[in-house]
């Protein structure tokens, strides 16, 4: 015979509760038909786990219950791997009677009379154990090394459905993808929301952990566009990678969903000046001209915060935001003035005003725009500077003012034309000659001229104006 008693379980589960001396009960059955058996119970870590009555006697073929105690009350479960164990030793007791001292002496001696009947692993279980395992750096805080992959499934077995759902949110908040998978496998509801509409996915998005988000997507999380504001969260934290995985995972995600203030994700990105996020959102179909509940476009927010790169991007990708007026009656340009963002004046309004003044030869307004901060070499949507426009229109006085204030003579537009060449094409001989006199290159070929003979100054002098006015003139005629 290799053992005298048999335990009723293979593993002892002890539900841990913070600050309490928890306990767990198991049973031993005497396998002997005619003889009583003496029992000695101990643990591998007696400072943590113990028995109030470590010695006892079980009559023949009888069963007795025993209670394991968590000796200490603590705020953290005393976890370790390999697991702590209960050691069951036994010995035949022909008399069927013995005092505690007699039993202590009996088991203090080694020899063939002592049977090592069982080693029962001790598993600490329950929601508080799981929560501890989910917490960041839990093994560091407990000063003990343990294997979460071994302990977590055991601890989860003692949790109810509601507890699993709550723990899933905790795991998502901490960005723990392995634990998220384990909780879902144990029965946690991936689509459960609390009374505020918060779900495991919303917490995972805020944590920024891509693996956690992917697990939730693959586990069947269903997005609700009326509630979920995942793109808003990603926009506020400058996480294009988060947006990509969400858009790939949910073809039906609403790119223009709004929050309680009527703001879309692109508004949020503009507030923070996250240019890469703006670029991504526009590329997948977000509307850069959306108005929030106060009539603010993303451009208004970018201007209000002084985000120059964001402003520049939005100006190039919106249709009317530059001229939109908020419910407070403010254009983006007026917001820039209110906030003192002088570096934005040119691209928001002064550049346009300067271009118009240059086209009209309005010297007074040209000087005024430059004095207020307009970039004398700023370009319009076709790459024209104010000098291009004044030269094309033959506004010699305007050309002189612009050159005096630093206008570049040989800058090329999007078609490869310099101001001098535009003056030639439009038959503006006086302007062309003035620009050459100021240092403009008279014989350099533009991008359009490569391989061709360029117009020189003698040609300009000897041709009547109407001969030099080409289709380019008609194509680019502007007010």
């Amino acid at each position: 015979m290799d053992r005298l008693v048999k335990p009723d379980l293979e593993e002892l589960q002890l539900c841990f509760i913070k600050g309490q001396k928890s306990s767990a009960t198991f049973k031993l059955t005497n396998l002997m038909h005619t003889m009583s058996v003496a029992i000695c119970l101990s643990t591998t870590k007696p400072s943590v786990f113990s028995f109030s009555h470590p010695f006892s006697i079980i009559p023949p073929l009888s069963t007795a219950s025993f209670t394991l105690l968590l000796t200490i009350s603590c705020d953290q479960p005393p976890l370790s791997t390999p697991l702590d164990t209960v050691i069951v030793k036994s010995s035949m007791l022909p008399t069927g009677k013995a005092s505690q001292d007699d039993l202590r002496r009996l088991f203090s001696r080694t020899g063939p009379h002592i049977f090592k009947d069982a080693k029962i692993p001790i598993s600490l279980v329950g929601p508080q154990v799981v929560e501890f395992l989910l917490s960041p750096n839990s093994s560091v805080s407990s000063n003990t090394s343990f294997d979460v992959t071994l302990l977590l499934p055991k601890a989860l077995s003692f949790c109810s459905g509601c507890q699993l759902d709550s723990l899933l949110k905790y795991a998502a908040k901490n960005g723990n993808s392995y634990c998220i998978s384990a909780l879902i496998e144990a029965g946690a509801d991936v689509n459960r929301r609390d009374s505020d509409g918060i779900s495991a996915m919303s917490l995972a998005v805020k944590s920024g952990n891509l693996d956690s988000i992917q697990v939730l997507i693959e586990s069947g999380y269903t997005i609700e566009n009326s509630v979920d504001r995942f793109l808003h969260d990603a926009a506020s934290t400058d996480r294009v990678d988060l947006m990509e995985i969400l858009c790939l995972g949910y073809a039906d995600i609403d790119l223009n969903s709004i929050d309680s203030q009527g703001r879309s994700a692109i508004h949020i990105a503009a507030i923070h000046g996250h240019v890469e996020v703006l670029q991504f959102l526009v590329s997948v179909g977000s509307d850069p001209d959306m108005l929030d509940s106060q009539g603010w476009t993303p451009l208004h927010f970018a201007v209000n915060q002084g985000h120059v790169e964001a402003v520049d991007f939005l100006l190039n990708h919106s249709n009317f935001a530059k001229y939109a007026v908020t419910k407070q009656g403010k254009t983006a340009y007026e917001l820039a003035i209110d906030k003192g963002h002088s570096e934005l004046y040119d691209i928001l309004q002064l550049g346009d005003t300067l271009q118009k003044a240059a086209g009209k030869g309005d010297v007074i307004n040209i000087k005024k725009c430059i004095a207020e901060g307009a970039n004398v070499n700023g370009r319009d949507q076709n790459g024209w500077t104010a000098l291009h426009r004044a030269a094309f229109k033959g506004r010699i006085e305007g050309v002189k003012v612009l050159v005096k204030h630093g206008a570049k003579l040989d800058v090329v537009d999007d078609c490869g034309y310099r101001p001098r060449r535009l003056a030639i094409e439009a038959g503006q001989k006086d302007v062309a000659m003035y620009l050459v006199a100021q240092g403009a290159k008279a014989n350099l070929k533009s991008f359009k001229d490569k391989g061709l003979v360029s117009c020189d100054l003698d040609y300009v002098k000897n041709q009547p104006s109407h001969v030099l006015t080409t289709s380019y003139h008609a194509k680019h005629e502007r007010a």
Side-chain angles (χ1 to χ4, degrees), residues 178-339:
Y178 166 76
C179 292
I180 289 173
S181 296
L183 284 158
I184 294 172
E185 186 175 345
D189 184 355
V190 71
N191 283 302
R192 178 67 63 84
R193 299 172 184 271
D194 62 20
S195 58
D196 294 325
I198 296 174
S199 64
M201 180 64 91
S202 62
L203 294 171
V205 170
K206 288 180 179 178
S207 80
N209 186 279
L210 295 178
D211 291 337
S212 298
I213 294 169
Q214 189 63 46
V215 168
L216 291 168
I217 291 174
E218 293 173 356
S219 298
Y221 179 83
T222 302
I223 194 168
E224 291 189 18
N225 287 311
S226 61
V227 178
D228 295 326
R229 298 287 175 264
F230 303 150
L231 294 180
H232 290 68
D233 293 331
S236 68
T237 54
D238 200 15
R239 293 293 300 273
V240 174
D241 53 347
L242 268 180
M243 292 184 165
E244 288 174 342
I245 196 173
L246 288 166
C247 290
L248 287 172
Y250 298 104
D252 60 340
I253 192 168
D254 185 358
L255 299 170
N256 295 310
S257 67
I258 58 174
D259 60 17
S260 60
Q261 296 174 296
R263 297 172 185 173
S264 66
I266 202 168
H267 281 100
I268 305 303
I271 290 170
H272 294 281
H274 295 155
V275 178
E276 289 185 8
V277 173
L278 291 171
Q279 292 169 342
F280 175 80
L281 287 170
V282 170
S283 72
V284 296
S286 293
D287 183 3
D289 284 314
M290 277 192 72
L291 304 177
D292 74 353
S293 59
Q294 296 300 311
W296 286 49
T297 66
L299 179 64
H300 283 98
F301 284 108
V303 168
N304 195 57
Q305 298 298 323
H307 299 310
V308 178
E309 289 186 41
V311 169
D312 186 56
F313 174 82
L314 290 167
L315 283 172
N316 289 324
H317 291 84
S318 59
N319 295 316
F320 69 85
K322 188 173 182 178
Y323 311 103
V325 179
T326 69
K327 288 186 176 180
Q328 295 76 34
K330 298 288 185 179
T331 63
Y333 177 66
E334 288 168 330
L335 282 177
I337 293 175
D338 290 347
K339 293 291 183 176

Side-chain angles (χ1 to χ4, degrees), residues 16-17 19-22 47-49 69-74 76 78:
F16 173 79
I17 302 175
Q20 294 187 18
K21 294 182 178 180
S22 307
S47 62
V48 178
F49 302 103
L69 302 173
L70 178 60
T71 306
I72 57 176
S73 60
C74 50
Q76 295 178 348

Side-chain angles (χ1 to χ4, degrees), residues 349-376 386 397-398 401-402 405:
Q349 179 167 313
L350 293 182
D352 288 349
T353 305
L354 178 61
Q355 289 273 354
K356 291 177 181 178
K360 296 177 179 178
D362 186 345
V363 172
I364 294 176
N365 276 320
I366 290 175
K367 292 180 179 180
K368 181 181 179 183
C369 287
I370 295 173
E372 290 177 352
N375 179 4
V376 72
E397 295 303 319
V401 172
L402 290 167
H405 285 85

